[in-house]
Amino acid sequence: MSTSEAILRDAAAAIRRGNFAAAYDTAQSGLEQAPRDPALLGIAAFAALRTGKHTEALGLLRRQVEVVPTDRAARLNLATLLASMGSPEEALALATNHGGHPKIARLAGYLHQQAGDYGNAIPAYETALAQVPEDWESWNNLGNCKATVGDRAGAILAFENAINRAPGGGSPELFLNLAQVLSASEDRDKRLHTAQEAAMRFPRDHAVQVELGLALAAAGNFDLAEETLRAAATMETTFGEARLELGLLYENANRLDELDAHVAECEAIDPRPELNFLKAWSLRRRDRFEEAKVLADLIPPTINPIRTAQLRAEIAERLGETAEAFRQYSLMNQASREAHPAPPGPTFREQTVAATAAMTAPLPPVPRAPDAQSDPVFIVGSPRSGTTLLDTLLTALPEVQVFEEQPMLAQVETAFPGLERESDPARITAARARYFELAEAIQGPASGRRVIDKMPLHLTHMPVIHRLFPEAQVVLVERHPLDAVLSCFMANFTPNHAMRSYTDLEEAARTYDAVFANWRRARELLPLNVHSVRYERMIADLEAEMRPLLEFLGLPWRAEVLDNQTSAKRRGAVRTASYAQIGQPLYARAVGRWERYQAELEPIRPLVQPWIDWLGY
């Protein structure tokens, strides 16, 4: 046995005894004789780390990698130590060339992630997970990376893998990460299921209870949402997230007296500056704009900047401070874009342009069975064109069952891809049946009532709608294109794939152009049964606009259809951005609002002028 081998044996024996200081001294004595012995360098570095000699370990590992640059264990140890000692760039230089080694790839993923380089972090994590699929922490990190770059489907899959592989049923953070992505994806059912599962596993976790309350509200169960958020609020000794969200729940449900009582209760517990947010919202909703402005200016940065900018913008708009309102709406949208990155792949506008180019003449219709449910009525138009006002008015009619932006058609299109060119009558019949099954699951049996499906951007789904429901009646709600684009820009939409288009004024105008180009092409190719309702005419003379509509729908005239306030109270919470306006008496201040913003809208006017002309404004 050589001297080096004997020393290595003695150092290893000291490590097994837990005597790391002796192991370090022994290995160092050997290195005096064989300074480039990789095994001695490795064992000396290990012992140095265990005795807190990080600087010495760093030098030893550098020498080991220099001697044997292909030693991936040494490379991993050196990169890990460099990262822990505050040298991430040097660590990343070593880890990037991981050669498929799962631990080095995992470290590379982490270092890229910390540097904000998600494009390189994602493939590094995927390399590591391909070999070690049980690494739940890497699944979680991968999910965070994919969520950050807007790959929501990939993030959901990664978080689900993290939950399923984590020991002990996972952690609250894993479920909350998944729920956050599902919220951004507007998958209300799956988000609620995730929150309920988390609440069962972690019933005392405050953040989980808040998420359950929000998921219940998103799913339309407002009573249980209120109960859950109030229970979570009792866990807070200060004005925390549950109390904030409970206040916003009251505001969204137009329960302003309860909002004020809640604010008073919170102030008695913890009168902190964040409460100015809820106070200002209440004053803004009560048209006390000057007072609201004073409090809105006092809102601290701890409140979500999207929400704060929206509130300040709405107050400035009502005070006639056009430039300030536009500035605040721009800040709101900028914060929304930063918080919700665009997903990979084509934008909603690009998808719409492609769909328009691919549109062809219809196939012969598939007749519905004599005993089948009547084809629905579809209310469509640009978002913020008055569709919510119209569907609220129609809820007064006992002959109809109104659905406000529910996912029946989207789920059918997912389950039956390519419907617009489907030639198999059996598949068409099955898809129709599935649509009505989904509708019944949401609102119960139609019991002979006509289904009215209000989803503005179904405007771009006419080939599918006509293939499924050739006898469907379509109600197009029109509004001056500049008012529609401006109102979309001013709306704090849930930033799903389509609605993200409206967080930039030019993109909002280009999206309007793409959507109406698609609609015009559908009108040219498809024998659609369409009736137009104009927002401005509804405001000027509601009865004169509603009588022809009810005649078109074959419904008897009922004066109740003119009472939007009673209908709004009866329907309860509204899902759309119009919730604050829909229960007010009809007002004309939003008609021609674009005229006050002509300077701000001038750059995008050429994009929508053709549609101003086409619609006859």
Side-chain angles (χ1 to χ4, degrees), residues 213 216-228 249 252-253 255 571-575:
L216 286 163
N221 192 338
F222 297 101
D223 291 341
L224 191 52
E226 178 184 354
E227 179 184 327
T228 302
L249 182 71
N252 273 265
R255 295 159 59 183
R571 77 180 297 176
V574 176
R575 291 183 182 274

Side-chain angles (χ1 to χ4, degrees), residues 292-308:
K293 177 177 169 51
V294 172
L295 293 181
D297 288 342
L298 299 175
I299 296 171
T302 46
I303 295 293
N304 184 304
I306 302 172
R307 289 171 163 175
T308 299

Side-chain angles (χ1 to χ4, degrees), residues 321-337:
E321 299 172 358
T322 301
E324 176 61 14
F326 192 84
R327 187 180 77 86
Q328 291 291 344
Y329 283 123
S330 298
L331 290 173
M332 175 189 77
N333 285 310
Q334 178 184 344
S336 181
R337 292 193 302 272

Side-chain angles (χ1 to χ4, degrees), residues 123-440:
Y125 280 129
E126 289 174 337
T127 296
L129 288 165
Q131 298 182 64
V132 189
E134 297 305 313
D135 182 3
W136 65 272
E137 291 174 310
S138 287
W139 280 116
N140 183 54
N141 289 344
L142 177 61
N144 285 321
C145 290
K146 292 203 168 193
T148 301
V149 301
D151 182 2
R152 292 170 185 160
I156 290 167
L157 180 61
F159 288 135
E160 288 176 339
N161 269 290
I163 289 170
N164 292 334
R165 298 170 190 276
S171 67
E173 291 73 22
L174 297 179
F175 282 90
L176 292 170
N177 286 344
L178 175 57
Q180 183 176 11
V181 181
L182 292 169
S183 172
S185 303
E186 288 199 287
D187 192 334
R188 298 166 187 157
D189 292 342
K190 198 167 185 178
R191 178 189 181 187
L192 180 56
H193 174 78
T194 298
Q196 289 170 329
E197 179 69 21
M200 280 186 8
R201 297 192 192 191
F202 313 104
R204 299 185 183 279
D205 188 275
H206 174 261
V208 165
Q209 293 301 320
V210 172
E211 168 55 26
L212 177 59
L214 296 176
L216 286 163
N221 192 338
F222 297 101
D223 291 341
L224 191 52
E226 178 184 354
E227 179 184 327
T228 302
L229 287 172
R230 184 161 285 284
T234 63
M235 302 166 69
E236 298 175 345
T237 57
T238 62
F239 178 67
E241 186 179 10
R243 296 182 189 278
L244 173 65
E245 296 296 347
L246 182 58
L248 288 173
L249 182 71
Y250 290 138
E251 191 269 332
N252 273 265
N254 298 312
R255 295 159 59 183
L256 301 184
D257 290 341
E258 288 166 275
L259 170 60
D260 290 344
H262 175 67
V263 168
E265 178 184 323
C266 292
E267 196 157 33
I269 295 169
D270 181 23
R272 61 175 51 205
E274 284 81 358
L275 264 172
N276 287 318
F277 176 69
L278 293 182
K279 290 179 182 178
W281 261 120
S282 177
L283 290 168
R284 176 260 174 272
R285 293 294 308 280
R286 296 179 185 280
D287 294 348
R288 293 162 61 181
F289 302 110
E290 293 286 358
E291 297 167 81
K293 177 177 169 51
V294 172
L295 293 181
D297 288 342
L298 299 175
I299 296 171
T302 46
I303 295 293
N304 184 304
I306 302 172
R307 289 171 163 175
T308 299
Q310 178 194 5
L311 174 58
R312 290 172 176 166
E314 291 189 12
I315 294 168
E317 154 71 15
R318 294 300 302 275
L319 289 172
E321 299 172 358
T322 301
E324 176 61 14
F326 192 84
R327 187 180 77 86
Q328 291 291 344
Y329 283 123
S330 298
L331 290 173
M332 175 189 77
N333 285 310
Q334 178 184 344
S336 181
R337 292 193 302 272
E338 291 172 355
H340 306 96
T347 64
F348 171 74
R349 172 177 58 83
E350 290 166 340
Q351 289 177 335
T352 302
V353 170
T356 304
M359 207 180 297
T360 58
L363 297 171
V366 176
R368 62 183 174 90
D371 58 344
Q373 193 163 340
S374 297
D375 287 357
V377 176
F378 291 91
I379 297 177
V380 300
S382 167
R384 305 291 291 165
S385 61
T387 56
T388 299
L389 170 60
L390 181 59
D391 80 29
T392 299
L393 295 170
L394 293 175
T395 61
L397 303 177
E399 296 88 356
V400 301
Q401 185 182 38
V402 179
F403 289 81
E404 181 201 16
E405 303 194 12
Q406 294 290 351
M408 294 96 67
L409 186 67
Q411 292 182 16
V412 168
E413 289 185 86
T414 299
F416 298 86
L419 278 175
E420 64 273 20
R421 303 306 302 164
E422 180 57 62
S423 59
D424 183 354
R427 275 179 56 82
I428 295 292
T429 300
R432 286 175 179 167
R434 182 58 182 154
Y435 175 93
F436 289 116
E437 287 170 5
L438 291 165
E440 183 168 338

